[in-house]
Amino acid sequence: DIQMTQSPSSLSASVGDRVTISCRASQDISSYLNWYQQKPGKAPKLLIYDASNFDTGVPSRFSGSGSGTDFTFTISSLQPEDIATYFCQQYDDFPLTFGGGTRVEIK
Amino acid sequence: QVQLVQSGAEVKKPGASVKVSCKASGYTFTSYAIHWMRQAPGQRLEWMGWINVGNGNTKYSQKFQGRVTISSDTSANTAYMELSGLRFEDTAVYYCARPICSLSCHYIAFDIWGQGTLVTASS
């Protein structure tokens, strides 16, 4: 199975800060990487697919980049409503696997 | 609007089976796959398997092979996930999800999710 390792596991930042989350795959997954946001008690929400493509209606402050084994998710200006857990998911091979998540809090 | 609505919470004894339903609306059910994931408390999401609703073909994670059965009823626009031989560690929220594009495209990203079904294995 492809292992997905996210860092950090949690972070605290101020409103307006730039936030960066890393996701590393245990093998080359090309660009087959998605990013989700999950709030407590809710289903995940797709933000970015295929490493850098926005899902419909996703605010432009969210972005993704990377290919191969190293990927980055960025919130350019953290907003209070962005408090959530973010995680990555690879679809290069079955079984699909997910990162452990990064909890984002407001400082 | 496009949505997936899952059945309600279940409490089952270890060794029993549970069957969770996922009713689709707002789109052509047979044009998309349905995938099933689960999330145990404080744990990462785990992919369990998927069904090509168009032809009924399924694929399962090796971890759940032999214990999970995913099926669909196209007349009811509903997919099902049955997990047998429940163990305490199967306690989790189970989700169905639909990929962002139809069966003919390669992106496996989930933009439509059910609300989740809590399955508790408890004696």
Side-chain angles (χ1 to χ4, degrees), chain A residues 2-28:
Chain A
I2 298 174
Q3 308 302 315
M4 305 303 295
T5 304
Q6 267 184 255
S7 61
S9 57
S10 66
L11 65 89
S12 181
S14 300
V15 172
D17 281 356
R18 182 181 185 86
V19 167
T20 299
I21 298 169
S22 171
C23 181
R24 175 165 288 177
S26 60
Q27 64 188 65
D28 188 337

Side-chain angles (χ1 to χ4, degrees), chain A residues 4 34 36 38 89 98, chain B residues 39 44-45 107-108 110 113:
Chain A
M4 305 303 295
N34 307 316
Y36 298 86
Q38 188 175 30
Q89 172 238 322
F98 295 82
Chain B
Q39 189 170 36
R44 68 182 65 194
L45 274 160
Y107 298 123
I108 310 179
F110 305 111
W113 293 72

Side-chain angles (χ1 to χ4, degrees), chain B residues 2 27 34 44 67 71 74 78:
Chain B
V2 176
Y27 71 96
I34 291 287
R44 68 182 65 194
R67 286 210 300 146
S71 59
T74 55
T78 301

Side-chain angles (χ1 to χ4, degrees), chain B residues 23-42:
Chain B
K23 183 170 177 61
S25 60
Y27 71 96
T28 302
F29 184 55
T30 52
S31 294
Y32 290 79
I34 291 287
H35 292 244
W36 287 88
M37 274 74 67
R38 76 178 188 181
Q39 189 170 36

